[in-house]
Amino acid sequence: MLAGQLSSESIQRYYRLALALADEGGQVLTHFWGNLSDVRDKQIAGDLVTEADKESEKKILAFLRKEEPSHGILAEESGAHKSHESEFLWVIDPLDGTVNYAHQFPFFAVSIGLLYQGTPIVGVVYNPIHQEKFHGFLGGGAYLNNHKIFVSKVNSLNKSLLTTGFPYDRRETKENNYAEFCRLTDLTLGVRRPGAAALDLAYVACGRCDGYWERGIHPWDIAAGVLLVKEAGGKVSAYDGGDLDLFSGKILATNGLIHDKLGKELMACTSII
Ligand code: IPD
């Protein structure tokens, strides 16, 4: 068992560190909230970066390097650092939901995940405006602030509320998720597109939503949330039910009870494309 290879003291230490890193980022996001002067497109128009993303990442990385200088890091704005030299990889989104943030739409988060030998062992997703911190560690359960959280018990698609997202290159690719969105909108209570994948996963973990899927997603958007869904009793996988590869760009996450049904519908759309 993977967790058994690490002492519980080490896991607890990394967990505390992840919580502190999320606070670092959260302070920056609170500071710049409603007060941005630098909002730019990255390579693709509509994929925004602001001074809040950059400053949040700067603070988080400085803190992390002081505490764990040998660990690998993969962060949204600055990419990979020492990621091939260590069994530990911190996967960080300093601001997930940048488009929302830039529009003062209060659905965004700092996302801090830690992988050990490729497996998520710690996850923190923090929305400082809602004062909601979702957190957990391997084998320790998942929490929203001080309360233990669990996935929902909904077991049919027609009673499910789902979330998803669309890739920034959606205008140029057929893999834009539109067919999947239409199909699942017809089959469920509804599909929301909230705009921050880390929180979409946290919402599955706490039972506010029953399932989430996305294509064109990055590891920093999902590394922490995946741990939360699993620790809350849910399931994460590829669309076909196979093992999730965090770097594959696709994810299916549910309460477990609707997993196969939702996966089957997504696979049917994928085969049309
Ligand atoms: C984005 C959000 C969005 C998802 C995109 C992500 P960012 O992250 O998570 O919900 O649909 O695929 O890239 O760019 O705001 O950090």
Side-chain angles (χ1 to χ4, degrees):
M1 176 68 189
L2 180 87
Q5 296 171 20
L6 291 171
S7 67
S8 69
E9 289 77 21
S10 315
I11 297 184
Q12 288 300 322
R13 174 177 147 63
Y14 301 138
Y15 187 34
R16 282 195 302 274
L17 176 55
L19 289 163
L21 295 173
D23 283 341
E24 283 289 303
Q27 277 169 25
V28 173
L29 302 190
T30 304
H31 173 77
F32 283 106
W33 177 241
N35 212 7
L36 287 173
S37 55
D38 186 12
V39 181
R40 299 171 191 213
D41 287 320
K42 293 201 265 192
Q43 280 101 332
I44 303 175
D47 185 2
L48 303 182
V49 63
T50 72
E51 67 262 52
D53 299 69
K54 291 181 197 155
E55 189 62 21
S56 172
E57 184 159 313
K58 202 168 123 194
K59 286 259 164 63
I60 292 169
L61 265 50
F63 195 124
L64 178 53
R65 287 196 180 110
K66 194 157 55 76
E67 297 293 319
E68 294 295 347
S70 67
H71 284 190
I73 300 172
L74 175 63
E76 176 172 15
E77 307 308 336
S78 58
H81 312 250
K82 288 190 180 173
S83 53
H84 301 297
E85 293 168 25
S86 171
E87 295 188 303
F88 293 94
L89 182 65
W90 291 86
V91 186
I92 294 166
D93 194 337
L95 168 47
D96 183 43
T98 304
V99 172
N100 286 347
Y101 184 86
H103 284 73
Q104 291 182 59
F105 186 91
F107 193 84
F108 62 87
V110 183
S111 178
I112 309 283
L114 174 62
L115 313 186
Y116 175 67
Q117 297 177 347
T119 299
I121 60 167
V122 166
V124 181
V125 174
Y126 178 37
N127 177 339
I129 296 301
H130 290 163
Q131 283 292 300
E132 289 194 326
K133 193 178 283 159
F134 300 87
H135 52 96
F137 64 92
L138 188 66
Y143 296 81
L144 165 50
N145 295 335
N146 296 323
H147 303 286
K148 198 155 191 189
I149 53 174
F150 300 95
V151 293
S152 71
K153 293 189 167 58
V154 172
N155 64 5
S156 64
L157 283 182
N158 64 3
K159 292 199 168 66
S160 294
L161 180 65
L162 307 179
T163 59
T164 191
F166 302 99
Y168 288 116
D169 64 352
R170 57 189 173 268
R171 296 170 195 88
E172 287 84 45
T173 176
K174 282 187 180 167
E175 299 213 357
N176 50 25
N177 200 26
Y178 295 168
E180 293 89 329
F181 180 77
C182 290
R183 189 178 184 103
L184 271 311
T185 296
D186 282 348
L187 294 175
T188 61
L189 284 178
V191 182
R192 304 291 182 251
R193 194 280 193 248
L199 280 175
D200 291 338
L201 286 161
Y203 278 32
V204 173
C206 71
R208 290 177 186 165
C209 292
D210 309 301
Y212 156 79
W213 84 89
E214 190 155 348
R215 62 196 313 170
I217 200 75
H218 300 285
W220 46 78
D221 299 314
I222 58 174
V226 157
L227 181 283
L228 297 173
V229 172
K230 291 206 268 190
E231 287 298 323
K235 188 170 175 184
V236 298
S237 76
Y239 286 4
D240 66 3
D243 288 347
L244 176 70
D245 173 357
L246 283 176
F247 295 80
S248 68
K250 284 187 195 157
I251 179 170
L252 168 60
T254 71
N255 62 7
L257 302 173
I258 61 163
H259 204 85
D260 295 348
K261 295 172 195 127
L262 180 51
K264 212 172 114 201
E265 298 303 331
L266 295 174
M267 291 300 288
C269 294
T270 306
S271 66
I272 296 166
I273 296 165

